[in-house]
Amino acid sequence: MKFKLGQLVLTMKVNATIAGNSQFSEHVFNSLKRHAHGDWGELCQEDRSLNELSMQEGGRLFSVYKKDNQPTIWIITEWDRSLTTVLFPDEY
């Protein structure tokens, strides 16, 4: 891992989707592993560069993960690495 995730938080909608869909649950788990290793998913180069700067200077980290037939998720780790949230884009 490149950084600690801190406390993990799922929105109510993400949690409900995990409960009813084992493939989505696997998607979330794998995406969290990717996020913690600095694989930012489907971000544009500008956002990737912002994440790399945030790794050095302590800013917020943001990732986007898509998988066929599964909802897109966003993962956000706060600047102090105390909290990581998994949410759907429409919940931001």
Side-chain angles (χ1 to χ4, degrees):
M1 289 178 39
K2 285 191 168 189
F3 59 92
K4 294 185 181 196
L5 297 174
Q7 180 181 354
L8 180 60
V9 176
L10 308 172
T11 63
M12 289 176 56
K13 284 174 64 176
V14 168
N15 192 53
T17 305
I18 285 172
N21 182 336
S22 62
Q23 290 181 338
F24 180 71
S25 177
E26 184 177 325
H27 171 49
V28 171
F29 179 75
N30 290 334
S31 297
L32 282 164
K33 287 194 308 188
R34 290 174 63 188
H35 179 76
H37 284 92
D39 173 353
W40 312 122
E42 289 76 32
L43 286 184
C44 67
Q45 187 55 49
E46 181 179 349
D47 287 339
R48 288 178 184 279
S49 296
L50 285 172
N51 275 357
E52 293 304 321
L53 183 62
S54 291
M55 288 287 293
Q56 296 171 12
E57 297 183 1
R60 184 185 78 151
L61 300 169
F62 173 68
S63 298
V64 176
Y65 300 99
K66 299 177 182 182
K67 184 176 181 183
D68 292 339
N69 302 318
Q70 297 300 321
T72 297
I73 58 172
W74 288 3
I75 300 178
I76 301 170
T77 298
E78 298 302 325
W79 67 272
D80 62 357
R81 311 299 181 253
S82 64
L83 181 74
T84 295
T85 304
V86 181
L87 65 155
F88 293 121
D90 66 348
E91 296 180 296
Y92 186 76

